[in-house]
Amino acid sequence: MKISKTKIIKWCWIVFCAPFALLILMILLVMAGVFGSLPSFKDLENPQRKLATSIISADGVTLGTFHIENRSPVNYEDLSPNLVNALISTEDIRFYSHSGIDFSSLARVFVKTIIGGNRAGGGGGSTITQQLALNLFSERSTNKIKRTIQKLQEWITAVKIERSYTKEEIIAMYFNTVPFGSNAFGIRAASQTFFKKNPADLNIQEAAILVGLVNGPTMYSPVRNPERAFKRRNHVISQMNKYGFISQTESDSIKNIPIDMSKYSQQDHTSGQAPYFREMLKRVMNAKKPVQGNYNNDADFQYDLYQWENNPLYGWCNKNTKSNGENYNIDRDGLKIYTTIDSRMQLYAEQAIEEHLGKDLQPKFNKEIKTRKQLFTDLSKKEIDNIITIAIKQSDRYREMSKAGYSYSEILKSFDEPVKMTVFSWEKGSKDTVMTPRDSILYYKSLLRAGFMAVEPQTGHIKAYVGGINFKYFKYDAVYQGKRQVGSTIKPFLYTLAMQEGYDPCSELPCVQPRIEYRPGEFWEPKSTTREEHRGKMMTLKKALALSDNWISGHLIEIFGPQALVDMCHRMGIHSYLDAVHPLCLGSADISPFEMVGAFATFANKGVYVEPFFVTRIEDSKGNIISTFMPESREAISSETAYLMLNLMQSVVNHGTARRLRTLYIPEGQIAGKTGTSNSQSDGWFMGTMPKLTGGVWVGCEDRSVHFSNLALGGGSNMALPVWGLFMKKVLNDNRLNVSKNDVFEKPANITFDFDCDTVDTADTENADI
């Protein structure tokens, strides 16, 4: 059978045109949404991304992020030219000349890959804009048919993107959407993770490494696969040379530079500065309306309810909505939260705790435990076993094994079998070891914990906040959540009552043991460690506070009554429940460092209490201000009373239980302070203030039955005071921080006396009840 030439030509044209007709048909079907909807222009203007919320210090440093994906957007101006050049030369050299689809590149892919069969020779053919479309609006499919349809969707979306954005905006959006591995999404997170730099500061070799990662975050990871990363980086550098972005000399020189990952640090919720502060901030912003049944006492419930009703930051995410009516999500809405924290003071606070606890206090405590051959003191075997059992049941191991169906006896047996584990260590942050899970519990019980906060008394701005010794291992926040017995640091509030009622620092009371009948036939008789030579004589209030004498405190509480002390504490900012009993004057109450620091700052602020304050404003991902915040303040005591108390507490530092501040840390400058030690040395405190900065420290173990055996090591002057001293010494040495030894407490005009009534001998404080 003969086929006419006309038919042959006809079928040739059909075969030639069919693919193009099919392509056009497929494009029309894709545009019609048959295979799924395409992003609208509204979607293009507001692409849905999981953006990290940035927490920014008062001095402009990003302390860390809240995120599901660690991604913070940048603008084109924030990018190093090296990044842009590396990307264009490697991924899309005709980027500035096409409109979203590079037909020359597609033809190359078709010829080399489809016709020539060289699957490696054609490259991907996708432009930067197409890759952006994929990153923003879809996920790559492995099914060939679906991938073909997806490719057409990318083409159409890419053209739409080109019509909606400038080339520079597309470059910035691309860098914002790319995953770089190591939990870094977007170029800002990647720059910080791999090089501790901002994107604008990246050099050629660093930019080449990051651009090399976009096609294979794991394969070309400089951490996991350094050899592949080295080759990939050099390929990018060669491309930059090929297209004239760098010279041959530069290319050859840079290729010989080894990859430096010394600053690599994977960013997660435990990394960065001020992790305890950031977690507290998140907890406050995500708070829900308090329900009374969830509280152990009414005082805490009433305080949180007041915060919910009057503090706009408390529960902010549940009180504020976006334009679409949804509540803000702190982990994905890309907010910028501007805080009062000073990154330099924060660093000094973290260093102070590490230096004192890690290098001095913990080694001494370890030595004492080894010498006395027991961790817990004053407890029976049954009580110790109960503590360990509770710790076992609260552990992740117990919960996981219980969930997996293991019996209680099987779980307990596993706690006595040695296993490999990584535990916290002051030397390196962590150490690999082999021990039983039970022994690991005892090890952690032996570690001293700490909490520190510093505020600017005039504004209430929190400048430094350290809730524990290591957030990765110890999530509990000793500053905001922790409440421990405050010991003698409560005495300044008691003495404030006296100053308010007409006493002055030189007023005298008898140094004799009071016998106070608190119930018919029942008496309270406080003990004191004041030296024998002072007993039975009159003592000034100035000397009494410097010595932290309990008998004088007993006389004052007898004069004014426990309820007056409770009211004074509450007026000055303490909101915890306080039992109106006589021993309160010696610090029997459990109070948080957060409250104590806020209250002590009142003295330096002329009697005005300013609630500790830590966020100034919140912006959305586009930089629009959503909320601004102002601190709440009230007059708690008169400026005269505040000044008299500062005079009293300066004597504590200059001559009393806190005198080591002068001998070891800060010999000059006005400092008012008070040490505190709870029963059996379970808690050590120091509260101190200079005219422009107030700080407070708590140190102790997780369990109150684990502590030093004597006041020399376990008193507040040894456990807590050195942290304050180290911190403040660093602050004073930093001229950028506007805190100086020349700052003075302003004396009210109507106070004309200096109240230099007496001094305290060094020997007087050797056994003081501190």
Side-chain angles (χ1 to χ4, degrees), residues 218-276:
T218 301
M219 180 180 294
Y220 300 120
S221 168
V223 178
R224 300 179 65 177
N225 297 302
E227 291 183 4
R228 285 180 181 171
F230 185 81
K231 292 178 181 178
R232 179 64 179 171
R233 182 202 70 176
N234 286 355
H235 168 72
V236 175
I237 292 170
S238 294
Q239 291 294 102
M240 294 177 73
N241 169 234
K242 177 181 177 180
Y243 293 111
F245 292 112
I246 59 175
S247 68
Q248 186 64 51
T249 303
E250 285 180 296
S251 176
D252 294 340
S253 175
I254 295 171
K255 284 181 179 179
N256 291 321
I257 299 174
I259 291 178
D260 179 11
M261 285 290 103
S262 60
K263 295 183 179 180
Y264 170 82
S265 176
Q266 185 166 327
Q267 305 296 302
D268 57 25
H269 297 297
T270 68
S271 63
Q273 273 193 292
Y276 288 97

Side-chain angles (χ1 to χ4, degrees), residues 337-460:
I337 303 174
Y338 291 86
T339 73
T340 62
I341 292 289
D342 186 288
S343 67
R344 297 155 297 190
M345 290 193 192
Q346 180 66 31
L347 176 62
Y348 297 153
E350 292 172 359
Q351 288 176 342
I353 286 179
E354 182 177 353
E355 287 174 26
H356 178 53
L357 269 71
K359 297 178 181 179
D360 179 50
L361 198 64
Q362 189 65 54
K364 288 178 179 176
F365 191 46
N366 293 342
K367 184 177 179 180
E368 179 176 309
I369 293 171
K370 186 176 180 179
T371 301
R372 73 191 189 197
K373 297 180 180 179
Q374 62 175 1
L375 176 61
F376 300 94
T377 59
D378 307 320
L379 293 181
S380 66
K381 184 179 183 304
K382 183 178 179 181
E383 289 171 323
I384 295 172
D385 289 343
N386 184 54
I387 290 174
I388 301 303
T389 299
I390 291 172
I392 287 174
K393 290 183 177 180
Q394 291 176 340
S395 69
D396 291 336
R397 176 182 292 271
Y398 182 91
R399 284 191 288 266
E400 290 169 3
M401 292 186 70
S402 180
K403 188 176 180 180
Y406 288 90
S407 67
Y408 182 66
S409 60
E410 289 174 320
I411 296 174
L412 287 184
K413 183 180 178 182
S414 75
F415 273 81
D416 293 316
E417 297 172 351
V419 294
K420 292 181 180 180
M421 63 177 69
T422 302
V423 297
F424 169 75
S425 167
W426 276 115
E427 289 76 18
K428 297 180 180 179
S430 63
K431 66 177 181 181
D432 295 326
T433 187
V434 176
M435 65 171 70
T436 68
R438 185 184 296 272
D439 285 340
S440 73
I441 289 174
L442 293 172
Y443 170 70
Y444 281 131
K445 294 286 187 185
S446 73
L447 293 176
L448 290 159
R449 316 294 174 86
F452 174 87
M453 190 173 90
V455 305
E456 195 173 67
Q458 291 75 25
T459 63

Side-chain angles (χ1 to χ4, degrees), residues 492 542 545 600 603 642 644-654 658 671-674 687 689:
K542 193 168 192 175
L545 189 62
F600 257 77
F603 296 120
L644 293 175
M645 285 307 307
L646 291 171
N647 181 277
L648 280 165
M649 290 191 288
Q650 285 180 79
S651 186
V652 176
V653 173
N654 295 332
I671 306 172
K674 186 69 189 79
M687 308 299 302
T689 185

Side-chain angles (χ1 to χ4, degrees), residues 659-674:
R659 70 188 183 280
R660 72 171 58 185
L661 265 180
R662 293 305 192 195
T663 59
L664 297 179
Y665 303 105
I666 309 169
E668 297 178 291
Q670 291 191 355
I671 306 172
K674 186 69 189 79

Side-chain angles (χ1 to χ4, degrees), residues 55 252 262 272 278 539 675:
I55 301 91
D252 294 340
S262 60
R278 288 185 275 123
M539 181 180 286
T675 54

Side-chain angles (χ1 to χ4, degrees), residues 57 176 479 657:
S57 72
N176 285 331
V479 170
T657 58

